[in-house]
Amino acid sequence: MQRIIKKPNSKTMEKKLLLVVFFFLTVVGAWAQGVTTASLSGKITDQNGGELPGANVVATHMPSGTTYGTTSLKDGRYFIPAMRIGGPYTIKVSFIGYKEQTTENVSLQLGETLVLDYKLLDEASQLQEVVVTGDKDPILNSDKMGASTNFKTSQIMTLPSIGRDFRDFTNLSPQSSGSGNPFSFGGRSYLYNNLTIDGATVNNVFGLNPLPAGQSNATPFSIDAIQEISVVLSPYDVRQGNFTGAGVSAVTRSGTNEIQGSAYYFFRNEGLAGKKINGTSNPVPSFNYNNYGFRIGGPIIKNKLFFFVNAEFEKRTDPFYTNAVRPTAATPTTATNTQGSDDNDPQTGLAGLRDFLVQNFNYDPGTYKNFNRATQSQRYVARFDYNISQNTKLTIRGNITNAFQDQP
């Protein structure tokens, strides 16, 4: 018997593939609960205040050449959503029979709707005098979506962070509960926050810690890979939800038309720690902290396709304090003896128990005091941005966090 196998039509396979990709992107978009972009809006009028429908508005992100465009509606208003954060942008507004207006060095914040109004002059008009006008702060406008705090790249790179942890910045929000209860806002438990990276939720679904890798005392991403962080509370924005504490959104860096990068190394040990408090000596046990990594981004195709890569490694050793070994009832404890005087007794102490296990079972249970705790983590981020057209942008980002910490 001969079996006939019919090869699938290539066009049919292509349609199925496109359908799968469309379905995937639709599901991802439906479940995204964070803001990753900014918007631009305003009104375009003539010199007499009349609305100008159909005026062209083009915004160009100068570092990457990414362009966004729209036309004004019948009432002269325009709106450009889903714009890349940062800048500088150059905004050009034009209309037939009117002089083109250009605004340079415009910067957009994460989740912001920047309002820029334009008054175009007739080509035949000539200015007879210099008019000085004042504009209100565009940040305070009717599109503001509630209390929020933004941290730009310049702030992330210059503000101090002892542990290179993004929570050092979110704690600067006015609603933060402070370092005593990190990642808590408005008195709400940190388990009710929602953390997103590029719009994708990265909460710890196990629930014992608000962050992935939190049990190993590590952060899910390097602050060197972050372009901007936003903290919002009770936003009047249907795009944001899934939290009753705070919504923390982080957006990763992306490449531009120039190759940019950095390599860094940070370290700490007991030699850099203070050893006196009000003149009283306070010995510091030995510890080590090493953090190093790199980032690089640039163009694959100028004005079209960009890449960004970041890798960071953290290694630290700290004294391991534990109350698992307790003193006996007959032995008082002091500041220098908190584990009892019989620990080293060869008959009844833990040293004797260890010797018994080694000699009789060839099993070494390890040490029970004066040992260190090891913590290690590796974080990787890779991102690609593709300007398919003026109205279509594609971003692919992946990140991996691998961490561990010794536990009792």
Side-chain angles (χ1 to χ4, degrees), residues 48-327:
N48 297 319
E51 294 89 355
L52 291 180
N56 292 318
V57 182
V58 178
T60 304
H61 184 259
M62 302 308 294
S64 65
T66 306
T67 60
Y68 304 86
T70 188
T71 57
S72 59
L73 302 176
K74 63 179 181 179
D75 59 354
R77 298 188 181 277
Y78 70 92
F79 180 68
I80 304 178
M83 297 177 66
R84 185 170 174 168
I85 62 174
Y89 276 90
T90 296
I91 316 297
K92 292 185 178 181
V93 180
S94 61
F95 190 73
I96 297 177
Y98 290 82
K99 293 182 180 180
E100 181 180 273
Q101 284 197 21
T102 301
T103 305
E104 298 181 344
N105 297 321
V106 175
S107 181
L108 301 179
Q109 294 185 10
L110 177 62
E112 171 194 14
T113 298
L114 182 64
V115 177
L116 291 178
D117 295 332
Y118 289 90
K119 182 177 290 187
L120 302 185
L121 299 177
D122 193 307
E123 286 282 5
S125 300
Q126 294 184 355
L127 292 178
Q128 301 298 327
E129 59 183 20
V130 177
V131 179
V132 179
T133 60
D135 294 327
K136 67 177 181 179
D137 185 354
I139 302 298
L140 301 176
N141 57 74
S142 59
D143 292 321
K144 187 70 175 177
M145 293 297 179
S148 64
T149 306
N150 283 69
F151 301 94
K152 299 181 180 180
T153 306
S154 58
Q155 296 171 310
I156 294 174
M157 299 302 294
T158 56
L159 289 173
S161 174
I162 295 178
R164 288 182 56 77
D165 190 331
F166 77 98
R167 287 173 292 184
D168 292 337
F169 306 111
T170 60
N171 283 343
L172 298 177
S173 301
Q175 299 84 4
S176 171
S177 299
S179 58
N181 192 6
F183 214 52
S184 173
F185 302 88
R188 189 64 164 163
S189 169
Y190 55 64
L191 296 177
Y192 293 95
N193 296 334
N194 186 44
L195 173 64
T196 63
I197 304 178
D198 295 328
T201 300
V202 289
N203 297 321
N204 187 348
V205 296
F206 194 63
L208 297 181
N209 195 284
L211 303 177
Q215 292 90 336
S216 57
N217 197 31
T219 58
F221 50 80
S222 165
I223 62 173
D224 213 61
I226 298 302
Q227 179 176 353
E228 194 166 328
I229 301 174
S230 173
V231 180
V232 297
L233 287 89
S234 303
Y236 300 96
D237 188 346
V238 295
R239 297 173 299 173
Q240 303 185 57
N242 197 31
F243 62 90
T244 57
V248 181
S249 300
V251 175
T252 55
R253 293 174 182 258
S254 56
T256 64
N257 283 326
E258 295 183 3
I259 295 180
Q260 298 178 340
S262 70
Y264 50 92
Y265 173 67
F266 302 89
F267 75 94
R268 271 198 337 270
N269 56 34
E270 70 280 359
L272 300 175
K275 298 179 176 61
K276 286 187 177 181
I277 301 177
N278 291 332
T280 303
S281 297
N282 181 38
V284 177
S286 299
F287 69 92
N288 284 287
Y289 170 83
N290 294 275
N291 180 283
Y292 54 93
F294 73 91
R295 63 173 171 86
I296 185 171
I300 300 176
I301 302 175
K302 189 174 181 179
N303 295 333
K304 270 290 186 182
L305 184 61
F306 309 92
F307 77 95
F308 173 81
V309 177
N310 168 256
E312 183 173 276
F313 308 90
E314 182 178 328
K315 296 181 180 180
R316 61 185 299 165
T317 303
D318 301 288
F320 195 100
Y321 297 103
T322 177
N323 60 358
V325 180
R326 302 179 184 276

Side-chain angles (χ1 to χ4, degrees), residues 331-391:
T331 304
T333 61
T334 65
T336 58
N337 177 22
T338 60
Q339 296 174 328
S341 60
D342 66 341
D343 287 345
N344 293 316
D345 187 282
Q347 300 297 324
T348 62
L350 292 177
L353 174 60
R354 178 182 182 277
D355 293 340
F356 176 79
L357 294 174
V358 172
Q359 295 171 7
N360 293 275
F361 299 98
N362 195 30
Y363 173 72
D364 187 352
T367 184
Y368 63 93
K369 63 180 180 179
N370 298 327
F371 61 93
N372 294 323
R373 166 200 301 236
T375 303
Q376 294 188 18
S377 62
Q378 302 91 40
R379 295 178 280 269
Y380 307 93
V381 175
R383 171 169 172 160
F384 296 91
D385 292 273
Y386 182 28
N387 296 333
I388 300 176
S389 67
Q390 180 172 288
N391 297 320

